[in-house]
Amino acid sequence: MTFKEKYQDKVVQIDKLLMRYCPAKEGHQSDIMDAMEYNLLAGGKRIRPMLMQEVYHLFGGTEDMIEPFMAAIEMIHTYSLVHDDLPAMDNDDYRRGRKTTHIVYGEDMAILTGDALLNYAFETASTAFDLAPEKSFVIGKALQVLSKKAGIYGMIGGQVVDVKSTGKRIDAETLDFIYKLKTAALIEASMMIGAILAGASDEEVKVVEKIAEKVGLSFQIQDDILDVESTAEVLGKPIHSDEKNDKMTYVTWKGLKEATKVVEQMSKEAVSMLESLHPSDDFLKQLLLYLIHREK
Ligand code: GRG
């Protein structure tokens, strides 16, 4: 099988897993379950759960307790997209090739859908305790990483500085801070949780965090490049969104050529660190390179 075929196969498996973890549409509140499913099953590259699973296997993990965490990270990522598209933030009408949640369900329900996905992520992740009660210690550690990387010291913190910086010229240090927290933090959580649940040592988890930071930074710079170079049809969301929102990005700061060079450099560093950690995992190495050279 080629890398592309293996990747597609894994996306299908993750989609099936997410279907299993969607809440049943029942009760007076079934509208919110419908909106959660509308977003969760809308497609997407599924890179966060995939990275988590691959790192889990890399460190010898074999149990199904990884699954609720894979669903949870995609729920958190999806909530961030729902809220990011709201009129008060980027005010976008399309995401993953579909109308955004506030367009379909109204702004009030879109806010609640994001809230619901975030909360349900933790309800879901904590079911790992039932699947593997004897692994409570590592599950607790994984929950700690998940909550921190999604919160004020992670994605939300990055988004706060991003929102506050809109329309302003920011310095390199602030841009780096935003990218590390807004984008890299969830990728770090994905890979670190895979390692933690598989029983990796604290030192190994730290190396995984460093690799993931490089992957996250280059992933975000590639996102900036695509916002300028790609098309709405390919991306499934509007292009030139950063310009519309008057946001400074790595591309507006350094130009396309330099941005492409940095992505190249950082991705090479990430892959070589991964090789030192585990020389033989070809799929994961190819996945890191794909994320960085992706077209959508
Ligand atoms: C609202 C708390 C809050 C946070 C929002 C993550 C984020 C912060 C906003 C989303 C917009 C954005 C450009 C985020 C940077 C990370 C990124 C490139 C997200 C898109 O992730 P992909 O490409 O999306 O993995 P798919 O649709 O493939 O899952």
Side-chain angles (χ1 to χ4, degrees):
M1 266 209 271
T2 64
F3 165 75
K4 265 272 149 86
E5 286 164 346
K6 279 190 211 160
Y7 169 78
Q8 276 312 330
D9 202 48
K10 286 174 196 276
V11 169
V12 171
Q13 296 311 318
I14 292 170
D15 284 347
K16 284 187 185 152
L17 181 147
L18 289 170
M19 269 176 225
R20 273 197 284 121
Y21 277 99
C22 270
K25 281 184 247 172
E26 59 193 12
H28 289 298
Q29 73 276 48
S30 65
D31 281 0
I32 197 79
M33 288 97 165
D34 192 62
M36 288 163 83
E37 189 183 286
Y38 176 78
N39 281 286
L40 267 178
L41 303 185
K45 293 181 287 299
R46 310 307 193 196
I47 63 151
R48 294 158 190 83
M50 199 180 293
L51 283 170
M52 188 183 284
Q53 190 173 40
E54 293 307 312
V55 174
Y56 184 62
H57 291 155
L58 184 74
F59 283 96
T62 54
E63 291 176 61
D64 56 4
M65 65 165 169
I66 191 70
E67 292 184 352
F69 278 94
M70 289 168 64
I73 198 87
E74 191 66 19
M75 286 173 194
I76 294 177
H77 165 58
T78 305
Y79 116 74
S80 81
L81 301 181
V82 172
H83 278 187
D84 193 62
D85 290 333
L86 283 169
M89 296 228 193
D90 279 0
N91 195 19
D92 280 325
D93 291 356
Y94 280 91
R95 168 75 67 181
R96 292 170 165 173
R98 288 180 170 196
K99 292 265 184 200
T100 41
T101 320
H102 59 277
I103 300 287
V104 179
Y105 294 88
E107 198 175 340
D108 46 5
M109 285 299 286
I111 294 169
L112 287 168
T113 303
D115 296 341
L117 282 165
L118 175 59
N119 195 84
Y120 201 64
F122 286 96
E123 275 182 77
T124 302
S126 58
T127 63
F129 286 118
D130 307 322
L131 293 176
E134 74 290 354
K135 295 278 166 70
S136 289
F137 182 70
V138 285
I139 293 170
K141 271 173 81 171
L143 281 169
Q144 215 176 15
V145 168
L146 189 63
S147 48
K148 185 165 177 192
K149 296 283 182 187
I152 54 172
Y153 302 106
M155 184 179 71
I156 293 176
Q159 180 74 353
V160 168
V161 181
D162 193 18
V163 167
K164 288 274 185 194
S165 307
T166 302
K168 291 185 190 145
R169 234 200 114 64
I170 50 174
D171 58 21
E173 195 252 328
T174 310
L175 193 64
D176 189 58
F177 179 91
I178 293 171
Y179 283 18
K180 274 189 184 148
L181 272 68
K182 182 180 87 165
T183 308
L186 270 204
I187 293 180
E188 287 164 19
S190 308
M191 295 179 71
M192 288 167 77
I193 289 169
I196 290 167
L197 291 180
S201 68
D202 289 350
E203 288 68 34
E204 286 169 325
V205 175
K206 276 196 192 117
V207 177
V208 168
E209 186 175 21
K210 281 267 163 263
I211 297 173
E213 182 186 292
K214 287 186 190 294
V215 174
L217 286 173
S218 25
F219 187 81
Q220 180 57 57
I221 300 173
Q222 183 65 16
D223 196 71
D224 300 343
I225 295 173
L226 293 175
D227 188 56
V228 177
E229 280 204 320
S230 190
T231 63
E233 290 71 38
V234 172
L235 293 183
K237 61 179 183 179
I239 53 165
H240 302 305
S241 168
D242 298 324
E243 190 187 331
K244 178 193 93 181
N245 292 306
D246 204 5
K247 269 189 190 165
M248 194 179 138
T249 70
Y250 202 86
V251 171
T252 55
W253 182 49
K254 287 278 186 185
L256 261 176
K257 217 168 142 198
E258 179 63 21
T260 311
K261 242 167 68 187
V262 169
V263 169
E264 198 70 46
Q265 177 61 29
M266 250 194 273
S267 58
K268 275 196 190 134
E269 285 167 16
V271 170
S272 99
M273 283 172 81
L274 180 69
E275 268 165 353
S276 318
L277 198 64
H278 206 285
S280 65
D281 198 306
D282 272 348
F283 180 79
L284 184 52
K285 265 184 265 171
Q286 286 171 321
L287 180 60
L288 298 191
L289 292 172
Y290 160 75
L291 296 182
I292 289 149
H293 299 296
R294 72 197 191 277
E295 283 164 0
K296 65 174 198 168

